[in-house]
Amino acid sequence: MVYLNGKFLPLDEARVPVLDRGFIFGDGVYELIPVYSRVPFRLVEHLARLERSLGETGIRNPHSRTQWRDLLYRLIDEQPFEDQGVYLHVTRGVAKRDHAFPKNVEPTVFMMSNPLVNPPREQVEQGGIAVSAQDYRWLRCDIKSLSLIGNCMLRELAAQAGAAETILFRDGKLTEASASNVFVVKDGVIAAPPKSNLILPGITYDVVVELARANGLPIELREVSEAEVRAADEIWVTSSSKEVFPIVALDGRKVGDGRPGAVFQRMYALYQDFKQKIMRAGKREAVSA
Ligand SMILES: Cc1ncc(COP(=O)(O)O)c(C=O)c1O
């Protein structure tokens, strides 16, 4: 079952008109909310980021937080699987083709839930490889936009190299990866670029920063140069689906000793523990209207 504009229906019955601006211009925003044991992870933060993406793009938010939450819970409950990745898409709506925003159109709302597949433990123990590329995307990477052609082209470079991710540099500095944020570790100190218009403010990024601070792991949010990334002892990528994942080779060169590092092991354990606590509590968060 998926949700489209007020109705729950089977995926193959869901249809949008070809003049939907999501199709014509990629004119929309989205969220991916991970759900563990039917409990959405960091729901309030995901809804806040959605509101921000809608606000920044001038797309009307068709629902209050409680309405979003109710739709999400209903969709989650319709699925036969426990751990889910719920996609929530909002486009500016259907209108005659014209770049300028149409007046009085209803936003299109589409939600679907897939089984959530986090990297299995063996893969985490082994780590993954990454390639790098110049970050040629636009200057509003802080908006979780549906226009992902740049991210898709950059991710394809990784796919062609049999790698997990493409790590991106702009003007000699680390930004993020094609679909994840990036952290590095040198001499026990974690570093990541601060939030700006050049990176997506990752919900997982926030969790990692919080866990580091709460557990006394030194962490710096500051510009990270390309040279620092290439000389790092550890590189991690973070996202709702990858969680915290170690990169053990970049552009064919080993990161550290070519195995997931000690600081990674600690952060991975903290992250899993944090997740387990939420799952054990089994509580669905309250959201304010
Ligand atoms: C470009 C980009 N950066 C970072 C992230 C990580 O964000 P989150 O941790 O909220 O999943 C994503 C997630 O899809 C992404 O597409």
Side-chain angles (χ1 to χ4, degrees), residues 129-131 153-167 178:
I129 64 172
V131 293
M153 288 166 65
L154 290 162
R155 169 55 78 80
E156 182 58 18
L157 298 177
Q160 282 174 8
E165 254 296 19
T166 306
I167 291 180
S178 72

Side-chain angles (χ1 to χ4, degrees), residues 5 20 59-60 62 90-94 102-109:
N5 295 335
D20 192 287
I59 296 174
R60 188 169 64 79
V90 185
T91 80
R92 202 178 303 278
V94 181
K103 305 263 182 300
N104 307 319
V105 289
E106 275 302 303
T108 299
V109 177

Side-chain angles (χ1 to χ4, degrees), residues 30-32 34 46 49 137 141 144 148 151 165 168 176-182 199-206 238-241 243:
Y30 77 109
E31 274 298 317
L32 164 61
H46 279 282
R49 188 170 65 183
R137 301 171 303 159
C141 294
K144 202 160 167 66
L148 287 171
N151 303 63
E165 254 296 19
L168 305 176
E176 55 180 346
S178 72
S180 48
N181 293 111
V182 179
I199 69 170
L200 186 81
I203 305 295
T204 320
Y205 167 109
D206 283 341
T238 69
S239 76
S240 295
S241 49
E243 301 183 334

